[in-house]
Amino acid sequence: MQNTSPTDAAAPTRDSAFSPLRYPDFRLIWTATLIANLGTLVQGVGAGWSMTELTAQHEMIALVQASTTLPIMLLAIPAGAIADLFNRRRVMLFSQGFMAVVSGLLAVASWQDVLGPWTLLAFTFLLGLGTALNIPSWQASVRDLVPREDLPKAVALNSMSFNLMRSVGPAIGGLLVAWAGPHAAFALNAISYLALIYALARWKGPEITSTLPTESLGSAITLGLRYVLLSPNLLTIILRGFLFGGGAVVMLALLPAISRDQMQAGAMTYGILLGAFGAGAIGGALLSAPLRRIWQIERVIATAFCGFALGTTVVALVPGPVLAVPGLILAGGAWVLALSLFNVSAQLASPRWVVGRVLAIYQTATFGGMAMGSWLWGSLSESLGIRAALLLAASTMLLGAGFGLIRRMPDFPEVDLDPANRFHAPALRLNLKARSGPLMVMIDWNIPPENTEGFLAAMAQRRQIRLRDGAREWALMRDLEDPDIWVEAYHVPTWTEYLRHQQRRTRSDAENFDKLLTLHRGPERPRVHRMIERRAVTDYHDIPILEVPKVP
């Protein structure tokens, strides 16, 4: 169980978009992230432009973006489980070190002129693997660095961190590639990881205090998927993220080809256009909090979809880079508005024990949409032309905005998802081991007739809570001879899983139990039966026969 208390600091001013920077640990890591983001964006320019020199196919150029996002789609969910099961700081240190090594090898391969199109894609894929491992741990750690009320601003600042560098990094990358070649961009990226490795080494981070053994990776992944499937609000967030990522990636995927073929420009212009997109993203991060104060989340998200559609249309129709800059600024602002709100919504709708997996599933959907979109828009650009691909992508963004009429984005929940910490393990008379099981748990409720309707409504919510937290085969039964007696029953595979199930209860979940207690009749609390299952003898040959002595 992660300790979620942020680093002690003077109480920040809550009305400032930069208030999370008052917390020293967050400020240190955020600053180091600026440097790492600069290296990532310079590397992106180097990779994108290297591919334009290695091949003229638009589809291969777009695959540079896809090769970075595809690993995130494939490995985000296991990475999210790792973020929930292990020390997140150590996971981030490992992933940053891995990416530093890969970037260094990429720089050497480029310098030695041994890169081909598929070799370049292999290196960018490996960098995507490191990113996939890092993202859930980093995003779940933000809540360990700042209090809940500053979380939306902290997530927006993280987006701003990336896009501050996006406003200058691509231009620096374009200049560096034009002056020294792509290998210099790759080398700079390798060096940039050192700042973040240093910051993470300085941060103490939360300690894992659970006395239970570490959950298996497969079980953790399954439970994370079940939690999301039983959470309608999370499903809506994830679906909208997929739609936005699939349409909006067209700009990043095709911008090298737009710069080279549609605008007849070079690497420097490509970097400047990416910088315009990043400058717009900074504006989007700054606008996020004011817009949330006056609009509901759905309206902000719909505006982001429409804004990106308009910016994409501008880029598709204008003849040169100067006129394309306003469209890219608008698209960049919409990009951060939407993605930061999706991220915050997913975090605030998830308890701490599963937040890494929830964020990973959201990332899988969003980056999966980006990977599919990169391939789709690259293929359409190859067959129909760049302008047609951009206009089709803009149309899909308008459809994404209209989808809110069917699946509306939830507003930030006010529920308290911190651990309830009410459970105390019972004294057992059987000597159970951690893996003893399976167990069946039954709770006896005495419900008078006038409380039946309210009891059933509360039990419907309780069923969802039980299954979401790891219970199996939940059932509610009524006594035929005494209709006031109801029995809630569910299974768990082992005693350890029963303890995990109880520790996952949040304060919001406890409100449901408190409501049920008010409907229960009698001076005593509902009786809980914890039963371990044993298989009965089914073969009569196994039954011992009692031999009766003969009577003389």
Side-chain angles (χ1 to χ4, degrees), residues 221-241:
I221 292 172
T222 300
L223 191 57
L225 291 169
R226 179 192 296 181
Y227 189 93
V228 169
L229 290 174
L230 290 170
S231 304
N233 284 343
L234 286 175
L235 287 175
T236 298
I237 295 166
I238 289 167
L239 180 58
R240 298 296 290 282

Side-chain angles (χ1 to χ4, degrees), residues 175-198:
L175 180 63
L176 190 61
V177 169
W179 174 61
H183 62 272
F186 303 146
L188 177 63
N189 184 41
I191 295 171
S192 71
Y193 289 112
L194 299 180
L196 192 49
I197 291 172
Y198 168 78

Side-chain angles (χ1 to χ4, degrees), residues 77-366:
I77 295 177
I82 290 172
D84 286 331
L85 298 178
F86 300 100
N87 185 289
R88 292 169 184 152
R89 184 182 73 95
R90 293 175 184 171
V91 173
M92 289 187 283
L93 278 170
F94 173 82
S95 61
Q96 296 296 322
F98 173 77
M99 288 187 286
V101 171
V102 172
S103 295
L105 293 175
L106 175 58
V108 172
S110 177
W111 180 49
Q112 293 295 321
D113 200 22
V114 295
L115 274 183
W118 290 105
T119 309
L120 176 60
L121 289 178
F123 274 111
T124 55
F125 184 87
L126 288 174
L127 288 172
L129 291 180
T131 303
L133 183 61
N134 184 75
I135 285 178
S137 290
W138 165 231
Q139 293 188 343
S141 295
V142 175
R143 181 62 182 86
D144 299 325
L145 293 162
V146 301
R148 184 183 192 277
E149 56 268 25
D150 276 331
L151 182 61
K153 296 174 185 176
V155 172
L157 276 175
N158 283 337
S159 297
M160 186 186 296
S161 166
F162 185 79
N163 289 290
L164 275 170
M165 292 299 99
R166 178 174 267 161
S167 63
V168 296
I172 295 173
L175 180 63
L176 190 61
V177 169
W179 174 61
H183 62 272
F186 303 146
L188 177 63
N189 184 41
I191 295 171
S192 71
Y193 289 112
L194 299 180
L196 192 49
I197 291 172
Y198 168 78
L200 291 171
R202 286 282 305 272
W203 177 43
K204 298 299 182 183
E207 296 295 331
I208 298 177
T209 58
S210 176
T211 57
L212 298 177
T214 302
E215 193 174 358
S216 70
L217 186 62
S219 174
I221 292 172
T222 300
L223 191 57
L225 291 169
R226 179 192 296 181
Y227 189 93
V228 169
L229 290 174
L230 290 170
S231 304
N233 284 343
L234 286 175
L235 287 175
T236 298
I237 295 166
I238 289 167
L239 180 58
R240 298 296 290 282
F242 172 80
L243 294 174
F244 187 88
V249 76
V250 67
M251 196 67 73
L252 297 178
L254 292 183
L255 201 54
I258 292 170
S259 176
R260 185 192 67 182
D261 298 337
Q262 182 169 305
M263 299 182 179
Q264 304 297 313
M268 178 61 71
T269 299
Y270 169 52
I272 292 172
L273 293 177
L274 267 180
F277 187 91
I282 296 171
L286 293 174
L287 282 174
S288 180
L291 288 179
R292 283 190 288 105
R293 283 196 293 266
I294 60 175
W295 288 350
Q296 292 183 324
I297 299 298
E298 175 56 40
R299 189 172 182 182
V300 180
I301 293 297
T303 300
F305 270 96
C306 294
F308 204 100
L310 179 58
T312 304
T313 302
V314 169
V315 174
L317 298 179
V318 298
V322 175
L323 296 177
V325 166
L328 286 163
I329 291 175
L330 181 59
W335 175 276
V336 165
L337 263 183
L339 294 182
S340 65
L341 286 180
F342 291 143
N343 186 293
V344 174
S345 297
Q347 290 207 47
L348 293 181
S350 310
R352 297 301 296 158
W353 66 268
V354 76
V355 67
R357 280 162 280 185
V358 169
L359 287 170
I361 294 168
Y362 156 71
Q363 293 288 349
T364 299
T366 303

Side-chain angles (χ1 to χ4, degrees), residues 467-526:
L467 295 176
R468 204 177 53 189
D469 289 353
R472 303 176 183 179
E473 302 174 23
W474 186 94
L476 182 63
M477 298 167 285
R478 192 175 193 180
D479 195 314
L480 293 177
E481 299 178 17
D482 188 354
D484 288 356
I485 301 300
W486 297 76
V487 179
E488 176 194 3
Y490 63 92
H491 289 77
V492 287
T494 65
W495 176 246
T496 297
E497 289 306 312
Y498 173 73
L499 296 178
R500 287 193 213 279
H501 174 78
Q502 297 297 332
Q503 291 181 1
R504 288 167 182 154
R505 196 71 37 79
T506 67
R507 294 176 183 172
S508 175
D509 297 336
E511 293 174 4
N512 170 263
F513 182 71
D514 292 340
K515 182 178 180 180
L516 286 166
L517 284 180
T518 65
L519 302 173
H520 175 74
R521 180 172 57 189
E524 297 182 354
R525 293 167 67 91

